[in-house]
Amino acid sequence: MTQHAKSWTLKPGAMTLADLRAVWAAPAKLILAAEAYPVIEASAAAVQAIVAKGDAAYGINTGFGLLAKTRIPDEKLEQLQRNLILSHSVGTGELLSDAVVRLIMLMKIGSLARGFSGVRPLIVDTLIALYNAGIMPAIPAKGSVGASGDLAPLSHMTLAMLGVGDVRVNGELMPAPDALAQAGIAPVVLAAKEGLALINGTQVSNALALHGLFMAERLLEAAMVTGALSLDAAKGSDSPFDARVHAVRGQPGQILAAQMYRQLVAHSAIRASHLEGDERVQDPYSLRCQPQVMGACLDLIGNVGRTLLIEANAVTDNPLIFQDGPNGQAEIVSGGNFHAEPVAFAADTLALAIAEIGALAERRIALLIDATLSGLPPFLVRDPGVNSGFMIAHVTAAALASENKSLAHPASVDSLPTSANQEDHVSMATFAGRRLDDMAHNTAVIVGIELLAAAQGIDFHRPLKTSPHLEHVHHQLRQKVPFFDADRFFAPDIEAAKQMVLQGELSSTCKNLFAPLYA
């Protein structure tokens, strides 16, 4: 995909994580590369040839799932595809966000446009038209087991193309027929195979996991910044970040994380003030072992990104049309690319990283409010006793860290057979990806509370300054949240800090420092 101003040219199978991040972050006009159309047309023609020949072919002129042996007459093939969408639109729960829906639509367009799914160009063009018009299908979050494709949520996506149900435009719900009419988009009538191609696939599971990935990247950046700030607030040592320590272990994420910590704390006057005469020999693990823990999280996040990018460019519906069959004829092949086990495993491992980022930050908050460990005023407030300071803010962090432990339990180890045991092992990838949003928000609050606590600690060391990077972060925070001089309504401060974490504000002025995360 190449970007031109506010438009994108999609080359099927060639998206990058940077492309996907951009689509997740903001809408932009989508253009399909011209070279995609001949292969789409050839695949659609192959389906029509199979229908004309009259042989039974799953999903083209048969029923679905356990009804695969039921032959459907040619005159009912359009009804078959429409009924498939209506009967499979059984989702429930809150609607997926526009950011996630954009990813779903983009990946479905890219998959269909690779020319193995047997749909007409009209289908791809209609999806692109909806996307470009900002018409986001109303997709309930719950109802998929992550195998046989994300059938229910993708059916809700397809409803919009038929002019059925609701959509969201500029954040407001409206009937799909009205939205399509206003945009000048004609509802489609699905031909043979097209409904099945639209709802088979892992795009919903993968979009949810990608959303979790991009949130995790921001959490990793923010927690490295707040961890460095806590180090200075507690007058910790930067010796554990020595490159030699990490080189002899050899873990790449750890080596990279240590390098980033060295840069974050470089030229700190607070550190310089206790280079000599400090009786402490070693810091607690939550300060000293940051490169080891965050480096491992960095490696996990990188591995997850590679898996999800492959899936984003993949063809995952069933059956597939191949043009290299016997005697040069098109051949339809049934397989199982809709099984989202790679996504489920990726989402489960990403959950570990998100939980651990928050767990380590919670431990640093506990350290900072403990005067015996940090050397700072108890609970980071003057006149403790009259003031409770950060006492209960830490309780909130502990509650969320504990909740994340439960949410981190792997979803992929569960399976419930469906479709009368035809679909007898499923991935649960959709829930595996969906729960990452809750976990990310929990961790964002924890890291936000650490930001407040560490900044408070820095203020107690004035007039000494921390490093230039961290002074800038401290200044950004103080533009929104003043020093905590006495007890006040604390929740708005925490929300402001959380939003700084989620919006990437803690690393906004030192993006070059974090660029290696995305190499």
Side-chain angles (χ1 to χ4, degrees):
M1 186 187 292
T2 54
Q3 186 176 13
H4 303 288
K6 292 185 178 180
S7 68
W8 296 92
T9 298
L10 170 62
K11 294 184 178 181
M15 285 186 288
T16 67
L17 278 176
D19 297 331
L20 294 164
R21 276 190 210 97
V23 166
W24 172 73
K29 183 180 178 182
L30 178 65
I31 301 167
L32 182 61
E35 59 264 30
Y37 284 97
V39 295
I40 298 172
E41 291 165 354
S43 185
V47 170
Q48 294 307 311
I50 290 168
V51 171
K53 188 176 180 182
D55 294 340
Y58 174 72
I60 294 179
N61 51 19
T62 73
F64 308 104
L66 202 65
L67 301 176
K69 296 180 182 178
T70 303
R71 179 65 187 275
I72 309 299
D74 288 357
E75 64 271 15
K76 292 187 176 182
L77 293 184
E78 288 183 353
Q79 181 185 348
L80 171 70
Q81 297 299 314
R82 182 178 178 86
N83 286 352
L84 174 71
I85 304 307
L86 297 175
S87 67
H88 285 51
S89 296
V90 293
T92 188
E94 295 183 1
L95 299 182
L96 296 178
S97 69
D98 285 359
V100 171
V101 174
R102 283 197 302 272
L103 286 172
I104 293 168
M105 296 174 75
L106 174 70
M107 290 188 290
K108 179 55 75 173
I109 291 164
S111 178
L112 297 178
R114 287 189 59 185
F116 297 100
S117 302
V119 304
R120 294 167 293 165
L122 170 68
I123 299 300
V124 177
D125 286 342
T126 301
L127 260 180
I128 293 173
L130 289 173
Y131 181 98
N132 287 339
I135 298 173
M136 299 289 104
I139 303 177
K142 300 180 182 181
S144 175
V145 295
S148 236
D150 290 310
L151 296 172
L154 286 172
S155 293
H156 284 275
M157 179 199 76
T158 307
L159 281 180
M161 302 173 64
L162 306 182
V164 177
D166 291 330
V167 297
R168 193 164 50 213
V169 180
N170 296 323
E172 299 294 330
L173 278 178
M174 64 186 302
D178 295 348
L180 267 64
Q182 290 178 15
I185 301 171
V188 299
V189 176
L190 299 172
K193 176 69 169 65
E194 290 177 341
L196 186 58
L198 282 160
I199 71 171
N200 242 202
T202 62
Q203 286 80 26
V204 174
S205 295
N206 207 47
L208 289 165
L210 282 166
H211 172 71
L213 172 71
F214 300 147
M215 296 276 277
E217 291 171 345
R218 291 188 176 181
L219 294 172
L220 184 74
E221 289 184 0
M224 292 180 79
V225 170
T226 58
L229 201 63
S230 290
L231 181 81
D232 244 9
K235 287 192 171 180
S237 173
D238 57 359
S239 296
F241 305 151
D242 188 310
R244 295 169 296 179
V245 172
H246 308 284
V248 296
R249 191 180 200 182
Q251 293 289 352
Q254 178 180 326
I255 291 169
L256 182 55
Q259 173 189 322
M260 292 177 178
Y261 280 111
R262 289 195 300 275
Q263 293 174 309
L264 282 169
V265 300
H267 311 299
S268 165
I270 295 175
R271 174 56 180 145
S273 73
H274 62 98
L275 279 170
E276 296 181 4
D278 194 331
E279 295 180 354
R280 294 171 299 179
V281 178
Q282 293 188 128
D283 293 325
Y285 290 179
S286 60
L287 297 179
R288 192 192 342 156
C289 297
Q290 289 186 75
Q292 287 79 4
V293 177
M294 299 299 280
C297 291
L298 193 160
D299 282 335
L300 269 188
I301 290 170
N303 290 337
V304 166
R306 284 183 281 274
T307 296
L308 299 184
L309 178 60
I310 291 170
E311 195 75 2
N313 285 299
V315 180
T316 55
D317 61 292
N318 178 65
L320 298 175
I321 312 297
F322 294 97
Q323 304 290 348
D324 57 355
N327 302 316
Q329 300 296 309
E331 184 177 9
I332 185 164
V333 180
S334 288
N337 280 358
F338 50 68
H339 198 296
E341 195 82 339
V343 179
F345 283 165
D348 280 348
T349 55
L350 188 58
L352 300 179
I354 292 172
E356 282 297 270
I357 291 169
L360 195 64
E362 182 276 324
R363 289 290 78 208
R364 291 191 296 266
I365 299 167
L367 184 156
L368 291 173
I369 65 173
D370 185 343
T372 62
L373 291 174
S374 68
L376 296 165
F379 302 108
L380 299 172
V381 69
R382 296 190 181 105
D383 200 9
V386 174
N387 294 304
S388 294
F390 280 70
M391 180 189 296
I392 306 305
H394 170 247
V395 172
T396 295
L400 297 178
S402 178
E403 184 176 309
N404 272 356
K405 293 176 186 178
S406 295
L407 288 171
H409 179 83
S412 57
V413 296
D414 187 33
S415 176
L416 283 174
T418 58
S419 193
N421 282 316
Q422 172 76 3
E423 297 155 6
D424 57 352
H425 181 276
V426 298
S427 71
M428 298 301 177
T430 324
F431 170 65
R434 179 165 53 82
R435 65 54 149 98
L436 297 175
D437 185 70
D438 283 344
M439 295 185 69
H441 278 268
N442 287 345
T443 293
V445 173
I446 298 169
V447 175
I449 292 172
E450 184 187 12
L451 172 62
L452 294 168
Q456 189 81 356
I458 296 298
D459 284 329
F460 282 121
H461 294 315
R462 295 304 191 205
L464 293 175
K465 290 187 175 183
T466 183
S467 72
H469 279 312
L470 299 179
E471 278 294 333
H472 181 80
V473 170
H474 183 278
H475 177 74
Q476 284 180 296
L477 175 66
R478 287 289 174 253
Q479 297 301 301
K480 301 178 182 183
V481 179
F483 176 75
F484 197 96
D485 56 350
D487 283 352
R488 62 175 184 251
F489 182 25
F490 209 172
D493 296 352
I494 294 172
E495 180 62 25
K498 173 192 174 183
Q499 291 305 319
M500 289 182 69
V501 172
L502 290 177
Q503 299 305 318
E505 292 183 37
L506 276 65
S507 56
S508 60
T509 60
C510 52
K511 282 297 182 186
N512 289 342
L513 190 156
F514 290 103
L517 295 178
Y518 310 106

